[in-house]
C-alpha cells in the first residue's frame, strides 16, 4: 500500500490561510469518507485535528477545516498562528492490503 | 487527563527481539481499539498493527506479519508489541494510539513514542 501524497512543506504568514493536500486513490481517500488529519509537534504526541474528512474533535479550533474532492483530501488552516507551525499528517482507511494508510507528511512553517 | 506512555525502546542487534509497552490512563481503555504506528527516520507515519477492544481481533501491516505480535491487558490498561526477527528497516519511533471502537480509523489519542534502533 503506497503512502498518500502530501506536499513536503507549506508556509504562510500569520493571519493567512493555507491548504495542505492529501492525494490517494479510489481504494483509500476517494473510496471512503474516513480521512483524518494529525498535528505533530516534534517530540510530542500527535494530535487528532480532523476526523471523517471534515469533523473537528471537541476542543479543536474552528480555524482548522477539512474537505475532500475525488481522491484528494485537504486540510485548511485559516488565520495562521505561530503555534500552528508543526508537521501535519493525513490518514485514510483503505481497502488495500493494509487497512490504514498515512500521508507522507507536510511541514508547515509560519513565516 | 489522557496519557499514553510508551516504554521498552532501545538499541538491538538485527535478528533479535524487543517488546514495547504502552501504559494508558485517563480514558475508558476497554472502549478503544489500540494501534501501533511507527515513523522511520525522515519518513512519514506508517501503520503497524491494531488490536480490538477485547483482544479478539488483530491485524498487521504485511511487512511485520509473522514477526510482530500485538496484545493488550484490559486489567492493566496496557498494550504491547512484541517484535522479533528485527531488521534495520524496523528502526523507527513507535507510537501507540487509541481509537474508539466504532471508528478504528480515527486515532484519537497518541503517546510520545519509543525509539527502536536496530543496528549491528
Amino acid at each position: 500500500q503506497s503512502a498518500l501524497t502530501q506536499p513536503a512543506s507549506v508556509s504562510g504568514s500569520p493571519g493567512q490561510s493555507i491548504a495542505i493536500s492529501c492525494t490517494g486513490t479510489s481504494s483509500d481517500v476517494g473510496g471512503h469518507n474516513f480521512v483524518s488529519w494529525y498535528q505533530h509537534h516534534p517530540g510530542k504526541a500527535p494530535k487528532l485535528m480532523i476526523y471523517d474528512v471534515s469533523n473537528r474533535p471537541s476542543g479543536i479550533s474552528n480555524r482548522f477545516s477539512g474537505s475532500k474532492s475525488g481522491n484528494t483530501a485537504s486540510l485548511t488552516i485559516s488565520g495562521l498562528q505561530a503555534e500552528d507551525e508543526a508537521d501535519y499528517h493525513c490518514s485514510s482507511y483503505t481497502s488495500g492490503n493494509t487497512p490504514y494508510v498515512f500521508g507522507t507528511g507536510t511541514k508547515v512553517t509560519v513565516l | 487527563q489522557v496519557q499514553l506512555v510508551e516504554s521498552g525502546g532501545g538499541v538491538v542487534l538485527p535478528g533479535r527481539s524487543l517488546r514495547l509497552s504502552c501504559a494508558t490512563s485517563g480514558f475508558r481503555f476497554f472502549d478503544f481499539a489500540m494501534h501501533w504506528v511507527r515513523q522511520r527516520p525522515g519518513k512519514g507515519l506508517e501503520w503497524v498493527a491494531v488490536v480490538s477492544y477485547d483482544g479478539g481481533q488483530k491485524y498487521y501491516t504485511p511487512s511485520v506479519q509473522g514477526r510482530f505480535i500485538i496484545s493488550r491487558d484490559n486489567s492493566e490498561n496496557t498494550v504491547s508489541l512484541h517484535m522479533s526477527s528485527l531488521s534495520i528497516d524496523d528502526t523507527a519511533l513507535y507510537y501507540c494510539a487509541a481509537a474508539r471502537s466504532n471508528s478504528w480509523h480515527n486515532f484519537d489519542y497518541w503517546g510520545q513514542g519509543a525509539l527502536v534502533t536496530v543496528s549491528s
Side-chain angles (χ1 to χ4, degrees):
Chain A
Q1 188 70 40
S2 297
L4 307 176
T5 301
Q6 296 180 234
S9 62
V10 173
S11 61
S13 299
Q16 284 187 329
S17 292
I18 61 170
I20 304 169
S21 60
C22 171
T23 300
T25 69
S26 58
S27 294
D28 39 64
V29 174
H32 310 278
N33 287 324
F34 294 149
V35 176
S36 50
W37 290 90
Y38 304 87
Q39 178 189 66
H40 188 199
H41 290 101
K44 296 196 172 183
K47 183 178 183 181
L48 176 65
M49 305 301 285
I50 296 288
Y51 68 94
D52 294 348
V53 176
S54 59
N55 296 284
R56 277 187 308 276
S58 174
I60 299 302
S61 169
N62 59 8
R63 297 188 299 105
F64 292 84
S65 61
S67 62
K68 189 185 84 166
S69 177
N71 294 336
T72 298
S74 297
L75 173 71
T76 298
I77 308 174
S78 58
L80 200 61
Q81 298 179 2
E83 68 218 44
D84 300 332
E85 187 163 292
D87 297 324
Y88 290 83
H89 304 271
C90 62
S91 77
S92 175
Y93 173 80
T94 167
S95 47
N97 62 353
T98 183
Y100 313 100
V101 62
F102 283 90
T104 49
T106 299
K107 180 174 179 59
V108 167
T109 301
V110 181
L111 302 171
Chain B
Q1 182 182 355
V2 171
Q3 282 196 311
L4 292 83
V5 180
E6 300 93 341
S7 61
V11 180
V12 61
L13 292 170
R16 302 299 291 268
S17 299
L18 199 64
R19 183 184 183 90
L20 301 180
S21 294
C22 172
T24 75
S25 61
F27 64 99
R28 288 170 54 91
F29 186 70
F30 190 73
D31 288 343
F32 287 75
M34 294 300 299
H35 296 266
W36 286 95
V37 176
R38 67 185 178 185
Q39 185 169 29
R40 294 187 175 107
K43 301 295 185 181
L45 298 173
E46 178 190 16
W47 177 79
V48 175
V50 64
V51 59
S52 61
Y53 73 101
D54 62 354
Q57 298 175 68
K58 302 175 183 181
Y59 302 98
Y60 303 89
T61 193
S63 64
V64 310
Q65 180 80 48
R67 298 190 299 123
F68 289 13
I69 297 175
I70 188 171
S71 61
R72 64 188 292 157
D73 185 337
N74 285 343
S75 67
E76 297 287 337
N77 294 346
T78 60
V79 61
S80 298
L81 186 68
H82 185 256
M83 305 180 292
S84 60
S85 302
L86 285 162
S87 74
I88 293 175
D89 285 345
D90 296 316
T91 293
L93 189 57
Y94 285 75
Y95 298 95
C96 63
R100 297 175 202 279
S101 287
N102 62 350
S103 58
W104 289 21
H105 55 279
N106 295 320
F107 304 85
D108 294 273
Y109 309 127
W110 297 68
Q112 293 189 329
L115 183 61
V116 173
T117 303
V118 183
S119 174
S120 56

